[in-house]
Amino acid sequence: MCGIIGYIGNKEVVPILINGLKRLEYRGYDSAGICVLCKNKLQTLKKKGQIIELENELIGKEIVGTIGIAHTRWATHGEPNEINSHPHLDCKNKIAIIHNGIIENHFSLKKILEADGHKIISNTDSEIVAHLIEKFYNENLEEAVIKAIKYIEGTFGLAVICETEEKIIAVRRGSPLIIGIGDNEMFVSSDASAILEYTKKVIYINDNEIVTLTKNNYNVKNLDGNLVNSEVQEIKWNLNEIEKAGFKHFMLKEIYEQAKSIENTLRGRIRENKIKLSVDIDPKLINKIIITACGTSWHSALIGKYLIEKISGIETCVDYASEFRYRNPIIKNNDLLIAISQSGETADTLAAIRIAKNCKTLGIVNVVGSTIAREVDFGIYLHAGPEIGVASTKAFTCQVSALILFALHLRQELGLELDFGLINELILISGKINSILDKADKIQEISSHLKDAQNFLYLGRGINFPVALEGALKLKEISYIHAEGYPAAEMKHGPIALIDENMFVVFIVNRGEIFEKVVSNMQEVKARGGSIITITDCPDDEMIKKLSNFIISVPNTCEELSPLINVIPLQLMSYFVADAKGLNVDKPRNLAKSVTVE
Ligand code: M6R
């Protein structure tokens, strides 16, 4: 959700904070602000809109210093405007805070603080934290923060500075926070991308830990004030991985990275005719697998169910994490819960693994050191590299690749023979993905005819039904065109009523046993005047040619791997439609990359 960054050192702080905010902008981009300890006074500047607006506002302003905090916001409480943006200050402008998360009891705290005489000026949940700290402040910021957060219910990643102390205090519960250790300088941030160009040495802060940063030192304590021994880790990403490398948008760059990123997911995990995963689970003892996730990761989970059941024969069910956590799910001791998350910070997915206390948990996660990655019993990292575009692309294909590996691993550990045809095809899949990317011009040309459409249906069957869902999600989130995904055969149970000459229907049709049935669905659409865009490995089939307004041909592969192929043109199509509409592809309205609030 929101992005936070703080710096303390010898360098001029404003450029470092602005640079950090730009890297964090994918987490939220409706307003931003900065607060600097400047000549023993806190100087604050906030601006509605993107970081560039704040940067422009800073021109000609005398805000200088070597200690500061900054925030880019994704509004939860209170509209995006200057008053509601962070940093928030106490009544005397001596304490400033930035916050990521939600203070659930802010109403009751507000009443108490106002009764105490505090003047709360914004409509946010966050501002009360500055006033609570003010209430407890007695010349020791760390102590005041510890006292204040004892009253807070909800989630927070917080960074706090104060006019009279040369330090930054940071604390977390439920929202990500890392500290970066440089030479005579320290950083605090929501994630590594903001500090990567200054240092690769980081500490991942755990819930209920508080950090005090001075320019030469850091200490991490628990909330009883006892020092905690924290491991300093090395970030493996490089700066060029978080830059656009000549692409117009991060999303396009990440679409093009998929062949490579899948190779990275597979690397070292298929050796000597064996699947090598460090997942020490005996599948003979697994009763049932439950996969939980949100958004695009939930679509991968649906494909995962299909793969695991087909390849290993183990019963698998899939749940939205947001539903799972509140419905008292039946979890047996010998069940396995799999959480899939690109960011490893999605609040609902994290909550889902926390309620599965009695069974083993496995995380399929991209961001190394993220909270989900640290809380599960076993993990499969995607190694997809940083995904910055809000619309998830390479994480999806890497998640599906990891799920194929895991399904094969289960089969192998059950003592069943592996399908080497499938494994060899998996090794070759990157080349096939690149062959689709080579035809992006054609997909761009088709997309130019679609940019004014109002409604889309995406239809697929079997393992490609979740791909239809993913195609629809990609289109709606970045182009704001209404789109729905359905299993093709479900169309006649309702959605067919929507079809007229204004409806575009995207079919995913692969050769195989249900080919004819999907072609029949195409006929039903055609008969009602709908326009058809067909993604197919049978572009020369006479019926396909007759029924389709546009055909995007894809290479043939085995059914299990077809989602990896079919999703690529759908991602490109969404991208080109949104770009043709002139929309901000990497920062679609109302969305944030990492949803760390409920
Ligand atoms: O980081 P996660 O994979 O847990 O995120 C889950 C969803 O928030 C995410 O996939 C979201 O739906 C994307 N915007 C889809 O493109």
Side-chain angles (χ1 to χ4, degrees):
M1 305 267 70
C2 307
I4 67 179
I5 166 119
Y7 173 84
I8 180 165
N10 294 321
K11 294 184 190 137
E12 194 46 58
V13 69
V14 172
I16 295 173
L17 295 180
I18 292 294
N19 201 17
L21 285 183
K22 286 182 180 165
R23 302 256 186 234
L24 292 171
E25 202 170 12
Y26 71 95
R27 301 179 68 90
Y29 33 81
D30 57 41
S31 51
I34 189 166
C35 181
V36 173
L37 183 55
C38 175
K39 299 179 195 144
N40 300 321
K41 288 266 171 260
L42 294 183
Q43 293 269 11
T44 308
L45 192 72
K46 314 194 213 184
K47 192 77 189 151
K48 183 177 171 188
Q50 301 194 1
I51 311 301
I52 186 77
E53 317 276 348
L54 177 69
E55 197 177 16
N56 289 339
E57 194 70 14
L58 277 161
I59 296 170
K61 302 254 169 14
E62 259 289 293
I63 301 186
V64 288
T66 57
I67 304 173
I69 54 177
H71 185 275
T72 179
R73 182 168 186 245
W74 184 88
T76 57
H77 296 65
E79 63 174 292
N81 60 26
E82 273 162 38
I83 291 181
N84 289 338
S85 34
H86 301 220
H88 289 290
L89 290 116
D90 68 332
C91 297
K92 299 186 208 85
N93 287 354
K94 284 180 182 300
I95 294 167
I97 68 109
I98 46 176
H99 169 229
N100 173 25
I102 291 182
I103 311 296
E104 284 167 1
N105 58 339
H106 69 105
F107 265 129
S108 51
L109 290 173
K110 185 175 178 197
K111 275 195 198 146
I112 296 167
L113 287 162
E114 284 180 336
D116 251 10
H118 290 263
K119 298 264 172 296
I120 294 170
I121 56 172
S122 73
N123 293 321
T124 65
D125 55 329
S126 308
E127 188 191 344
I128 61 107
V129 180
H131 295 273
L132 258 187
I133 296 171
E134 177 183 25
K135 179 177 167 71
F136 293 113
Y137 187 69
N138 189 9
E139 308 306 320
N140 186 327
L141 188 60
E142 184 189 279
E143 266 178 33
V145 173
I146 292 180
K147 282 184 185 157
I149 61 168
K150 288 196 173 136
Y151 289 85
I152 293 176
E153 288 164 21
T155 54
F156 51 82
L158 279 171
V160 188
I161 56 173
C162 150
E163 202 176 81
T164 46
E165 299 185 39
E166 295 209 340
K167 55 181 67 152
I168 300 176
I169 308 293
V171 60
R172 77 161 263 182
R173 185 182 296 153
S175 298
L177 207 59
I178 67 169
I179 59 174
I181 303 160
D183 291 335
N184 299 319
E185 57 185 6
M186 301 285 164
F187 304 80
V188 57
S189 174
S190 311
D191 70 45
S193 60
I195 58 176
L196 189 58
E197 60 201 276
Y198 309 105
T199 180
K200 288 195 165 189
K201 284 200 285 181
V202 298
I203 293 176
Y204 296 98
I205 302 304
N206 292 310
D207 277 354
N208 299 312
E209 286 180 351
I210 182 161
V211 190
T212 299
L213 300 177
T214 56
K215 68 179 177 187
N216 297 315
N217 205 359
Y218 65 89
N219 66 52
V220 185
K221 293 181 183 168
N222 61 26
L223 297 185
D224 296 325
N226 300 319
L227 282 174
V228 173
N229 222 348
S230 299
E231 192 192 346
V232 178
Q233 301 193 35
E234 175 110 3
I235 307 171
K236 296 279 187 293
W237 294 345
N238 290 316
L239 195 56
N240 60 7
E241 290 183 85
I242 55 167
E243 293 186 329
K244 284 191 209 146
F247 285 91
K248 186 170 178 191
H249 293 100
F250 280 111
M251 183 184 176
L252 191 61
K253 174 182 174 239
E254 288 156 9
I255 290 173
Y256 272 85
E257 278 173 350
Q258 290 179 102
K260 193 93 218 129
S261 51
I262 290 174
E263 282 170 12
N264 288 339
T265 302
L266 302 181
R267 191 175 315 286
R269 288 168 166 168
I270 305 172
R271 276 183 282 137
E272 296 145 6
N273 292 335
K274 282 205 169 302
I275 305 299
K276 310 270 186 184
L277 290 177
S278 317
V279 182
D280 191 14
I281 303 167
D282 182 352
K284 295 184 212 74
L285 304 179
I286 297 177
N287 169 56
K288 175 181 82 213
I289 293 175
I290 305 162
I291 317 183
T292 185
C294 303
T296 286
S297 299
W298 182 76
H299 299 154
S300 311
L302 293 174
I303 294 170
K305 168 185 164 69
Y306 190 97
L307 291 165
I308 292 170
E309 290 190 340
K310 182 168 184 198
I311 295 173
S312 76
I314 298 175
E315 183 191 347
T316 303
C317 56
V318 176
D319 235 323
Y320 278 120
S322 53
E323 292 297 312
F324 181 79
R325 63 183 291 193
Y326 286 118
R327 68 168 176 78
N328 296 321
I330 298 164
I331 309 170
K332 301 216 170 106
N333 292 349
N334 50 356
D335 288 342
L336 170 69
L337 182 108
I338 303 180
I340 306 180
S341 174
Q342 187 286 130
S343 61
E345 301 292 351
T346 300
D348 287 320
T349 313
L350 183 57
I353 59 168
R354 285 180 177 164
I355 63 163
K357 288 196 178 72
N358 59 324
C359 76
K360 292 283 184 226
T361 54
L362 166 74
I364 298 183
V365 170
N366 191 33
V367 178
V368 174
S370 56
T371 311
I372 293 174
R374 286 183 289 141
E375 293 202 11
V376 286
D377 298 306
F378 309 101
I380 304 175
Y381 276 125
L382 301 181
H383 302 304
E387 191 181 66
I388 310 283
V390 166
S392 188
T393 52
K394 64 177 178 174
F396 175 78
T397 43
C398 290
Q399 287 164 348
V400 172
S401 305
L403 285 159
I404 295 167
L405 285 177
F406 184 62
L408 289 165
H409 169 83
L410 290 172
R411 184 174 176 87
Q412 168 183 284
E413 300 306 303
L414 284 168
L416 301 169
E417 207 178 311
L418 289 179
D419 177 351
F420 286 100
L422 169 63
I423 293 173
N424 289 334
E425 187 62 16
L426 181 58
I427 293 166
L428 295 176
I429 206 76
S430 289
K432 294 193 176 181
I433 288 174
N434 277 335
S435 75
I436 306 171
L437 293 169
D438 288 343
K439 289 188 296 198
D441 285 359
K442 177 164 184 218
I443 299 171
Q444 184 168 17
E445 200 280 315
I446 293 173
S447 306
S448 68
H449 300 277
L450 309 177
K451 72 178 178 46
D452 298 319
Q454 300 293 311
N455 288 294
F456 273 78
L457 274 179
Y458 283 69
L459 302 176
R461 288 195 73 163
I463 197 168
N464 283 298
F465 157 53
V467 179
L469 293 176
E470 176 61 7
L473 176 64
K474 283 293 87 88
L475 187 75
K476 62 187 146 192
E477 69 179 331
I478 59 168
S479 73
Y480 317 146
I481 297 174
H482 176 244
E484 299 298 334
Y486 272 94
E490 271 296 300
M491 187 182 62
K492 57 187 171 295
H493 297 287
I496 197 165
L498 293 169
I499 292 172
D500 61 17
E501 56 288 348
N502 297 317
M503 176 65 87
F504 283 88
V505 186
V506 180
F507 275 94
I508 304 166
V509 203
N510 291 138
R511 76 186 62 154
E513 47 177 347
I514 47 177
F515 177 84
E516 301 296 343
K517 296 190 189 305
V518 182
V519 171
S520 297
N521 298 138
M522 291 172 73
Q523 268 165 332
E524 288 154 14
V525 169
K526 201 74 198 169
R528 287 160 182 82
S531 299
I532 295 179
I533 302 144
T534 309
I535 314 292
T536 184
D537 56 359
C538 305
D540 299 324
D541 180 272
E542 284 311 316
M543 283 310 283
I544 296 268
K545 284 206 277 198
K546 186 166 156 220
L547 295 170
S548 308
N549 298 69
F550 304 102
I551 297 177
I552 301 175
S553 77
V554 292
N556 177 251
T557 186
C558 53
E559 188 197 25
E560 291 86 337
L561 306 188
S562 58
L564 296 173
I565 294 289
N566 290 329
V567 78
I568 307 291
L570 300 183
Q571 295 169 342
L572 284 169
M573 210 172 87
S574 309
Y575 171 80
F576 288 129
V577 169
D579 191 42
K581 291 179 79 159
L583 297 171
N584 191 341
V585 173
D586 284 332
K587 294 174 204 139
R589 70 183 179 205
N590 305 338
L591 288 173
K593 181 69 183 161
S594 168
V595 186
T596 53
V597 295
E598 270 193 60

